[in-house]
């Protein structure tokens, strides 16, 4: 499955769950969206381009500056203890290894959103 297909599937799933969804395929697009939209929740992949890339860590950094109250879930198929530690250091709320069922990601997203409003 390509990254574009996965992005489409996640976007469609969360839209059907009642979330307002924006999708970005690269770091610059994600940063532009975060600059103009006050997000409550961001779901990012650690690697937006080639395997082993870490643009997702930059997304966390940028989101923390532009939408400090946003909850952040970072997904990865190539996780390591070092990447996980860095994700939390930069402000991720949850670090998930792929494949994670969409229902599980949605459950976690809902829990994060409930905790944010409590």
């Amino acid at each position: 499955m390509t990254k574009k297909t996965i992005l489409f599937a996640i976007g469609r799933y969360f839209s059907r769950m009642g979330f307002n969804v924006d999708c970005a395929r690269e770091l610059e697009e994600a940063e532009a969206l975060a600059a103009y939209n006050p997000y409550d929740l961001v779901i990012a992949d650690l690697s937006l381009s080639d395997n082993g890339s870490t643009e997702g860590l930059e997304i966390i950094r940028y989101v923390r500056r532009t939408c400090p109250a946003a909850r952040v879930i970072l997904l990865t198929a190539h996780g390591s203890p070092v990447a996980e530690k860095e994700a939390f250091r930069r402000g991720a709320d949850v670090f998930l290894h792929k494949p994670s069922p969409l229902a599980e990601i949605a459950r976690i997203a809902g829990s994060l959103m409930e905790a944010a409003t409590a």
Side-chain angles (χ1 to χ4, degrees), residues 42-60:
V42 173
I43 300 172
D45 196 313
L46 177 63
S47 176
L48 298 181
S49 55
D50 298 325
N51 289 340
S53 68
T54 59
E55 294 99 338
L57 295 174
E58 289 304 309
I59 291 171
I60 296 169

Side-chain angles (χ1 to χ4, degrees), residues 10-21 102-103 106-107:
I10 289 174
R12 186 172 173 169
Y13 183 85
F14 276 87
S15 290
R16 287 182 174 174
M17 295 293 295
F19 289 87
N20 293 322
V21 177
L102 290 176
R107 185 193 64 74

Side-chain angles (χ1 to χ4, degrees), residues 14-89:
F14 276 87
S15 290
R16 287 182 174 174
M17 295 293 295
F19 289 87
N20 293 322
V21 177
D22 290 321
C23 295
R25 283 184 254 165
E26 50 191 43
L27 177 61
E28 294 78 19
E29 187 179 8
E31 288 177 343
L33 286 167
Y36 295 102
N37 298 289
Y39 291 107
D40 296 319
L41 174 71
V42 173
I43 300 172
D45 196 313
L46 177 63
S47 176
L48 298 181
S49 55
D50 298 325
N51 289 340
S53 68
T54 59
E55 294 99 338
L57 295 174
E58 289 304 309
I59 291 171
I60 296 169
R61 179 193 54 77
Y62 194 81
V63 166
R64 283 290 159 244
R65 281 200 334 245
T66 58
C67 309
R71 300 298 188 182
V72 178
I73 298 172
L74 190 67
L75 303 172
T76 185
H78 306 286
S80 70
V82 171
E84 185 171 356
K85 183 177 179 180
E86 185 60 19
F88 286 124
R89 188 185 74 74

